């Protein structure tokens, strides 16, 4: 069940290091996955997406990996910068059903 | 090309008052989604609308909450007789027609019920 009021898990990394943020999704029928970045006081911002017929997709400094066997999604950020500090959410979708969001991970970059 | 516009950014209401939150989708987007976010939590789906139609309202509380997306004008999320538990950030997202793609979110409306 859901937990209300718990703090978000936090990942702290040194500036310049690589970050890996993990997400376990719930619906084995989901065929579309997205990572969003949310900075304080702002709305979620699209980072990268991947469809279930792929297991890896690369963007600029970001890579998303999908493991359907264990229903696991990860976001890798290369050479993490202070501007990467934010909360990161994974989301899953199926057909035209609304996206379902995970609980989020706070990334804190240490300069 | 303006993004998804939400207003007001901040809204304070006393218990028992009504709150109206507005969302203008991106130009050319005909699908609108409303999500609610409590502090330190993820986004919870509330309702999915297309022009003049509610497609999925499975995340909406049965009482006091309603949403519309008229033929002309913004989408409106209305909360009647607000209670303190309604305090949250409400985000609207829009999408062009077609299979699931990433939504574009607005900056949200932060509702505080006092």
């Amino acid at each position: 069940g859901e937990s209300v009021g718990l703090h978000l898990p936090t990942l702290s990394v040194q500036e310049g290091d690589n970050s890996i943020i993990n997400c376990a999704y719930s619906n084995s029928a989901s065929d579309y996955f997205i990572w969003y970045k949310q900075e304080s006081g702002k709305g979620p911002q699209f980072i990268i997406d991947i469809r279930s017929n792929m297991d890896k997709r690369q963007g600029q400094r970001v890579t998303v990996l999908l493991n359907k066997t264990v229903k696991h999604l990860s976001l890798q950020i290369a050479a993490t910068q202070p501007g990467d500090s934010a909360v990161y959410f994974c989301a899953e979708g199926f057909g035209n059903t609304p996206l379902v969001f995970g609980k989020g991970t706070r990334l804190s970059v240490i300069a | 090309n303006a993004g998804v516009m939400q207003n007001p950014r901040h809204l304070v209401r006393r218990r028992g008052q009504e709150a109206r939150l507005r969302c203008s989708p991106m130009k050319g987007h005909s699908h609108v989604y409303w999500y609610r976010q409590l502090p330190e939590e993820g986004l919870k789906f509330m309702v999915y609308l297309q022009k003049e139609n509610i497609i999925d309202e499975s995340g909406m509380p049965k009482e006091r909450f309603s949403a519309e997306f008229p033929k002309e004008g913004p989408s409106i999320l209305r909360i009647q007789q607000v209670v303190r538990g309604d305090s949250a950030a409400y985000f609207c997202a829009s999408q062009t027609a077609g299979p699931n793609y990433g939504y574009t979110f607005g900056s949200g409306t932060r509702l505080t019920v006092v």
Side-chain angles (χ1 to χ4, degrees):
Chain A
E2 292 187 348
S3 297
V4 176
L6 293 180
H7 293 295
L8 292 171
T10 298
L11 173 67
S12 295
V13 298
Q14 291 285 342
E15 181 180 357
D17 287 352
N18 297 334
S19 303
I20 300 176
I21 302 171
N22 296 305
C23 174
Y25 64 92
S26 57
N27 187 354
S28 57
S30 291
D31 60 3
Y32 180 61
F33 305 88
I34 314 175
W35 280 99
Y36 281 93
K37 172 186 180 183
Q38 187 178 27
E39 296 174 280
S40 181
K42 297 183 178 180
Q45 177 186 1
F46 175 93
I47 301 174
I48 190 168
D49 60 359
I50 188 169
R51 298 203 174 269
S52 59
N53 60 353
M54 304 171 68
D55 53 19
K56 179 179 179 179
R57 190 165 186 221
Q58 289 185 288
Q60 187 177 16
R61 279 203 310 121
V62 295
T63 301
V64 56
L65 299 177
L66 174 62
N67 185 332
K68 295 182 287 294
T69 303
V70 294
K71 294 191 288 186
H72 183 267
L73 197 64
S74 69
L75 176 71
Q76 301 178 1
I77 304 173
T80 312
Q81 302 169 359
D84 295 326
S85 293
V87 177
Y88 290 80
F89 294 97
C90 66
E92 59 182 301
F94 172 70
N96 279 331
T97 59
L99 292 176
V100 175
F101 282 76
K103 292 191 184 301
T105 297
R106 185 181 308 280
L107 175 65
S108 178
V109 180
I110 304 165
Chain B
N1 183 17
V4 177
M5 305 301 293
Q6 288 190 251
N7 67 82
R9 289 296 306 275
H10 300 275
L11 182 62
V12 179
R13 284 287 177 265
R14 295 186 183 280
R15 281 178 295 170
Q17 291 185 318
E18 178 180 284
R20 281 188 173 231
L21 288 62
R22 294 175 190 79
C23 169
S24 296
M26 284 187 71
K27 186 176 181 180
H29 285 193
S30 58
H31 298 229
V32 165
Y33 303 81
W34 285 93
Y35 283 78
R36 177 163 64 176
Q37 185 178 36
L38 296 173
E40 298 288 297
E41 294 196 9
L43 288 87
K44 302 298 183 190
F45 167 73
M46 299 182 73
V47 62
Y48 163 31
L49 310 104
Q50 294 179 21
K51 284 285 187 182
E52 300 184 278
N53 286 304
I54 297 175
I55 307 302
D56 182 345
E57 57 182 347
S58 58
M60 286 273 273
K62 294 287 184 281
E63 298 178 351
R64 302 187 298 108
F65 285 73
S66 63
E68 62 176 7
F69 188 16
K71 186 177 181 181
E72 301 291 338
S75 176
I76 306 287
L77 178 67
R78 188 166 79 157
I79 311 173
Q80 296 177 295
Q81 300 175 318
V82 295
V83 301
R84 289 225 172 101
D86 297 333
S87 295
Y90 292 83
F91 290 98
C92 166
S94 73
Q95 183 188 36
T96 189
N100 222 336
Y101 294 106
Y103 304 162
T104 301
F105 279 88
S107 297
T109 294
R110 279 145 189 85
L111 173 65
T112 302
V113 179
V114 297

